[in-house]
Amino acid sequence: MLSEKNELICNVLKAGLADFSLPEISDGDWDYLERELRNQAAAALPADVIGSHPAIEERRKNRWKGIAYSHAARWSQILYAQNELVQLMGQHQIQMVILKGTAAAMYYPIPEYRSMGDIDFLVQERDYQKALELMKENGYTQTDPKDKGEYHYSLEKNGIIFELHRKLAKLSDNKKGKMVTESVRNGLQHRVWRQIDGYQVPVLPWLPNGVVLLCHIRQHLVSGLGLRQIIDWMMYVEKELDDRKYPYFLEVIEKAGLEDLAIHVTKLCQKYLGLREEGIRWCIGANEELCEELMGYIFQQGNFGQKVSWEGKGAKALSRSGIEQLRWMQKQGMRHWRAARKFPFWGCAAIFYELFRYIVYVMKKDKPIRSLYLDIKEGRRRRKMFKGLRVP
């Protein structure tokens, strides 16, 4: 069961995203509300309904108006930088589309209140290296010059990170992901232009755009899934994925093994966040207990897992399958062990380095055996939940 405080978060978001009344918020809940919504990268979404509520005192209204103004300023900065990029690519005949970001925000009631981070965009495979060199020539700095760019390159300009993608991560290299990859590539060839705050923005057509948002949820399901990814999906479904259009969407995601994830996340949005049920009945077969468990997990994680401290890393590792556990431990070991980064041949030993770090952490606890037991128990619970969602 969700805690009362987390139910309050859901009800406040309902008021900000759909036609629901703002719940009563006690004096002791305001700090928690703001902290949690910031952790979930969703702080501005209820700002207007809070700022216009007659029963809320002025100082609290001003606090939330400030949050909204901050998001709007970031939105303007991102759109301006994004437009520069679009113009640059267009001048050199490089076809591109924006992924997530404004391509998700355009579905929101107030797009500028959607929390904005990096600018992700996709180009054709043939243009990948050309686009990288073009950006370098025009003031974009590669954040890691040694990055081989298997899925994307990261570059920075004026404090904004740009991710140049060649394909989607996670599902791109397995058999089930081929349909997803092909759908997105075809979408790039048939991109559409949306006017957003006076800017022309190239985005994928409705179907592959939704596939990207669902794959984004899948990508961060284990590593750190937050409400922002869930709300992106909810806003998309509200505008694009009713019962009439769902069969076309199903043709793509069913072969990729993402049908159950789509069904349960959509039902979760109806149950907790105010997504309408009328016209969206295709998720009726969802297991509500699994939806509840997934929502509790989302509150544990925060946006990109930012609520998970080092103490939660053990359970996170143990929630993965055997091979994924080893890969994750190696990646973490490489990140924490300077020698492994300097001498790549130590890569395999990085697994043991990370295991040693975890053992040291457990032994420092007041009750190390209990701590280990709780991590194992939580890891099993999460694996069971992932299995229920049948994600590839």
Side-chain angles (χ1 to χ4, degrees):
M1 296 290 290
L2 291 185
S3 68
E4 289 185 8
K5 287 184 180 291
N6 288 342
E7 284 188 3
L8 173 66
I9 300 292
C10 292
N11 290 332
V12 169
L13 285 172
K14 280 184 181 180
L17 296 169
D19 190 21
F20 286 80
S21 298
L22 187 71
E24 184 177 345
I25 305 170
S26 68
D27 289 342
D29 285 335
W30 281 103
D31 287 345
Y32 179 82
L33 176 66
E34 180 179 342
R35 184 171 64 253
E36 183 62 36
L37 287 177
R38 286 187 183 278
N39 284 332
Q40 298 287 351
L45 299 180
D48 266 20
V49 70
I50 290 174
S52 62
H53 198 284
I56 295 176
E57 55 188 302
E58 204 62 31
R59 67 183 181 91
R60 297 204 187 279
K61 290 183 180 181
N62 290 336
R63 175 68 178 172
W64 287 85
K65 286 177 183 177
I67 293 172
Y69 294 153
S70 175
H71 276 70
R74 176 66 174 175
W75 167 263
S76 297
Q77 182 187 23
I78 290 289
L79 276 184
Y80 183 83
Q82 180 177 282
N83 187 61
E84 279 192 331
L85 176 70
V86 171
Q87 296 296 320
L88 177 64
M89 294 295 160
Q91 289 165 9
H92 292 81
Q93 290 77 50
I94 296 178
Q95 199 173 49
M96 62 166 286
V97 289
I98 299 298
L99 302 176
K100 301 165 289 187
T102 49
M106 65 185 186
Y107 297 118
Y108 280 60
I110 306 177
E112 58 264 39
Y113 287 179
R114 193 262 188 190
S115 180
M116 303 295 286
D118 305 341
I119 296 176
D120 295 72
F121 66 104
L122 176 72
V123 300
Q124 297 283 7
E125 183 76 25
R126 64 177 180 268
D127 294 326
Y128 189 49
Q129 293 300 324
K130 179 183 175 182
L132 175 65
E133 295 307 317
L134 179 63
M135 292 179 74
K136 288 181 178 180
E137 292 167 6
N138 285 271
Y140 298 83
T141 304
Q142 195 171 348
T143 58
D144 181 3
K146 295 181 180 180
D147 185 5
K148 296 180 180 180
E150 182 182 2
Y151 297 114
H152 64 78
Y153 288 113
S154 292
L155 301 100
E156 183 270 337
K157 185 177 181 180
N158 297 330
I160 296 175
I161 298 296
F162 298 78
E163 287 196 354
L164 162 62
H165 289 257
R166 69 192 299 182
K167 56 185 175 181
L168 299 181
K170 282 288 185 184
L171 294 175
S172 299
D173 297 327
N174 60 41
K175 293 180 180 179
K176 288 186 175 181
K178 287 183 179 179
M179 178 68 78
V180 169
T181 303
E182 193 63 27
S183 171
V184 174
R185 284 178 178 163
N186 289 339
L188 178 56
Q189 294 174 11
H190 299 90
R191 63 180 179 167
V192 295
W193 292 83
R194 295 288 185 93
Q195 187 172 34
I196 303 175
D197 271 11
Y199 293 100
Q200 291 293 324
V201 181
V203 298
L204 292 166
W206 74 270
L207 196 157
N209 197 25
V211 169
V212 168
L213 296 177
L214 185 60
C215 285
H216 195 218
I217 291 174
R218 168 63 189 96
Q219 180 183 351
H220 293 287
L221 184 61
V222 178
S223 61
L225 181 62
L227 281 174
R228 183 174 69 167
Q229 294 86 41
I230 299 298
I231 295 171
D232 281 353
W233 173 254
M234 170 178 157
M235 295 292 95
Y236 168 79
V237 172
E238 172 70 33
K239 297 289 178 63
E240 298 282 15
L241 203 55
D242 59 14
D243 293 334
R244 179 178 56 86
K245 296 170 79 172
Y246 178 68
Y248 303 102
F249 192 79
L250 180 61
E251 288 182 15
V252 176
I253 64 167
E254 187 176 32
K255 293 180 180 180
L258 294 173
E259 179 186 1
D260 282 270
L261 181 64
I263 286 172
H264 283 87
V265 173
T266 303
K267 187 63 179 180
L268 176 153
C269 292
Q270 290 179 337
K271 184 174 181 179
Y272 295 107
L273 298 173
L275 175 64
R276 63 183 169 91
E277 296 186 7
E278 183 181 357
I280 305 175
R281 305 292 294 170
W282 53 264
C283 63
I284 197 169
N287 182 318
E288 296 209 11
E289 289 185 6
L290 187 55
C291 292
E292 184 176 290
E293 189 171 1
L294 179 58
M295 192 60 167
Y297 174 70
I298 290 166
F299 275 114
Q300 283 182 344
Q301 299 295 297
N303 188 52
F304 295 147
Q306 71 179 50
K307 289 179 65 179
V308 180
S309 61
W310 212 96
E311 288 79 355
K313 300 297 184 183
K316 180 180 284 190
L318 292 167
S319 69
R320 300 164 188 263
S321 64
I323 297 298
E324 282 191 336
Q325 278 185 32
L326 295 177
R327 287 175 179 168
W328 184 84
M329 289 175 67
Q330 182 183 36
K331 182 179 178 181
Q332 295 297 310
M334 294 287 286
R335 192 175 77 177
H336 295 134
W337 190 15
R338 184 179 300 176
R341 294 197 302 274
K342 189 174 181 180
F343 305 105
F345 57 83
W346 284 108
C348 291
I351 296 173
F352 300 100
Y353 180 85
E354 189 64 19
L355 179 61
F356 176 74
R357 288 182 76 244
Y358 176 63
I359 292 172
V360 170
Y361 156 72
V362 170
M363 296 309 295
K364 286 182 177 179
K365 299 287 284 185
D366 291 337
K367 298 179 180 179
I369 301 301
R370 175 171 173 76
S371 177
L372 178 61
Y373 167 74
L374 291 176
D375 276 353
I376 293 173
K377 183 178 179 181
E378 178 64 13
R380 285 176 177 170
R381 187 185 70 79
R382 291 183 187 180
R383 284 200 303 274
K384 183 179 178 182
M385 180 181 69
F386 300 150
K387 186 177 179 180
L389 295 170
R390 297 203 296 181
V391 291

